[in-house]
Amino acid sequence: MITNPGADVSYKFYFGVPLLSGFSTHVGSSGFSAYDLFADNGVDFNTKLRDVVFSTTNNDKLVVNEQLEILNGGFRVGDWDSPTYISFGMYQEFDAIVYVPKDPAILALDGNQNYIGRSFNLGDLKARAEAVSVLHLGFHKNIKENLIFGARGKIYTSGFNATTTRNSGYIYTIPSNTTMYEQVIYSNLQLQTSGISSYIDGNSQNSDAKSVVKKAFLGPDLGLGLDVGFTYYPKKNIQWTGSILDVGFIGHSKDVKTYNFNGYYEYEGINPDFIDPNNSGSSFSDFQNAISLDTTRTAYRTWRPVKMNASYQYSFNDGRGTADCNCYGNDNNGYQNAVGAQLFMMTSPRSPMMALTAFYQRNIANKLHLKATYTLDSFSYTNIGLGLSGQIGAFNIYLMGDNLLAYRDLAKARSLSFQFGLNFVFKDREED
């Protein structure tokens, strides 16, 4: 229901164990691993850092995501054959993405001596991080016997946000006819923040851990969002699903601060001395006057990263004999096996993030289900995952993990994800 408000559910009602109904976390790096930087192999860290910078591109990224369901539930409206369902809940999410600042990193490591005539792109600086809580209310209905449509409204509360994605500018050094070199810096950089400026400035009066956690779970900035999804059965054993999530925005107006570095600086000579401002003559003060730090307290708006899911599933080995109806919803308990594929896409400050997954699902027993997956994405080409779902009475537990081959040496892993949840699911007697 979280990934598709139009999911096919046959439960009479369900509710999750508070704070344990669903937890997921994902860490991924598309260009390097922790081993590349911190391996105890006798290589100097500066050398390893330089190797990482030169082996990556400005499209490589570090991604961190965490989601915790605080509470959730759902119930059918009407009798056992009613096609209408209501879901509700609240979850907390932290999401961060940082792109490798390729050009600025090379300039910082090597300087400009060997790069005369090269323009270093300051637009490589792109990053975003946010902690939000989400209140949601969903509704779905069987439009036809084999078609289900659902929608979910969301209220976002943001505790922390830092966004620097609208950057441009360049730095270059070229030979000069009058002096030895001409060096130019054009900067159009911006960092927008909400909820953290008091911590950055060091004057927060409420910086204890309790207040930070409270703010992370119920922030002052509000926004609205929408999810839509569907499930379609062209045949009783073939399922198509699709969903679009988090079409929405958050307005940031509390504890906001925007940092701007805008301007144009030109220097003619050998090299401006910014290391020791006291002995740099007028060059450092000229730079500060040309490209100054400007801060504002203006409210701003951010758009949520939109997610899209689409899947195809083919089920076979019907254990119900010649039954004509799909009486088991998305559990597919009547079929012993299923194969399929899922496509995931998410908007990001650069190109969309994508993942394509092939899966095999096996009903080991009536209350025990196993799923194996293979995923292709920008983080790994060897991502094999396993999922297990079991039920004892009304109590349901699920556990999933991705990139299991990387567990042989976690330091070399470029992607890791983990999910689990504890819920109570109540079905009609006809379904037991």
Side-chain angles (χ1 to χ4, degrees), residues 153-308:
K154 291 182 173 180
I155 298 176
Y156 303 111
T157 67
S158 173
F160 308 95
N161 175 266
T163 302
T164 176
T165 57
R166 302 175 181 176
N167 297 320
S168 61
Y170 51 82
I171 299 175
Y172 70 79
T173 303
I174 58 175
S176 173
N177 294 327
T178 57
T179 59
M180 187 168 292
Y181 296 107
E182 177 184 354
Q183 303 183 56
V184 173
I185 302 175
Y186 168 67
S187 175
N188 184 23
L189 306 180
Q190 183 183 78
L191 170 63
Q192 294 176 307
T193 69
S194 68
I196 61 174
S197 67
S198 56
Y199 302 98
I200 295 175
D201 298 338
N203 57 4
S204 174
Q205 301 299 317
N206 299 298
S207 58
D208 59 286
K210 183 178 180 180
S211 64
V212 172
V213 172
K214 180 180 178 181
K215 195 173 185 180
F217 277 86
L218 198 61
D221 293 323
L222 300 177
L224 297 173
L226 176 68
D227 300 345
V228 294
F230 75 91
T231 299
Y232 174 60
Y233 292 95
K235 296 182 178 180
K236 66 177 184 178
N237 65 327
I238 295 178
Q239 181 193 76
W240 288 95
T241 71
S243 65
I244 299 176
L245 310 177
D246 287 317
V247 180
F249 67 92
I250 297 176
H252 302 274
S253 59
K254 305 296 190 298
D255 190 22
V256 297
K257 195 170 186 178
T258 299
Y259 303 85
N260 297 286
F261 291 88
N262 297 325
Y264 180 88
Y265 174 73
E266 184 175 355
Y267 176 84
E268 291 191 2
I270 298 178
N271 196 35
D273 183 6
F274 294 157
I275 298 177
D276 185 4
N278 296 324
N279 297 319
S280 63
S282 63
S283 59
F284 186 72
S285 60
D286 290 343
F287 172 79
Q288 287 184 311
N289 293 332
I291 303 179
S292 59
L293 170 61
D294 180 36
T295 60
T296 62
R297 295 284 183 177
T298 306
Y300 65 97
R301 177 182 296 176
T302 58
W303 293 93
R304 299 291 296 151
V306 179
K307 307 172 186 69
M308 188 274 284

Side-chain angles (χ1 to χ4, degrees), residues 372-430:
T373 64
Y374 172 70
T375 300
L376 286 173
D377 57 25
S378 59
F379 303 107
S380 172
Y381 295 148
T382 58
N383 188 342
I384 296 176
L386 286 176
L388 186 67
S389 173
Q391 192 163 326
I392 303 175
F395 179 70
N396 173 268
I397 181 172
Y398 69 87
L399 179 68
M400 292 179 280
D402 278 350
N403 209 17
L404 298 182
L405 297 179
Y407 281 75
R408 295 173 298 183
D409 191 345
L410 292 179
K412 294 182 179 180
R414 293 191 177 184
S415 177
L416 291 172
S417 67
F418 174 78
Q419 301 179 55
F420 79 90
L422 307 175
N423 297 271
F424 289 91
V425 177
F426 297 86
K427 300 182 179 181
D428 292 291
R429 291 183 177 180
E430 292 83 354

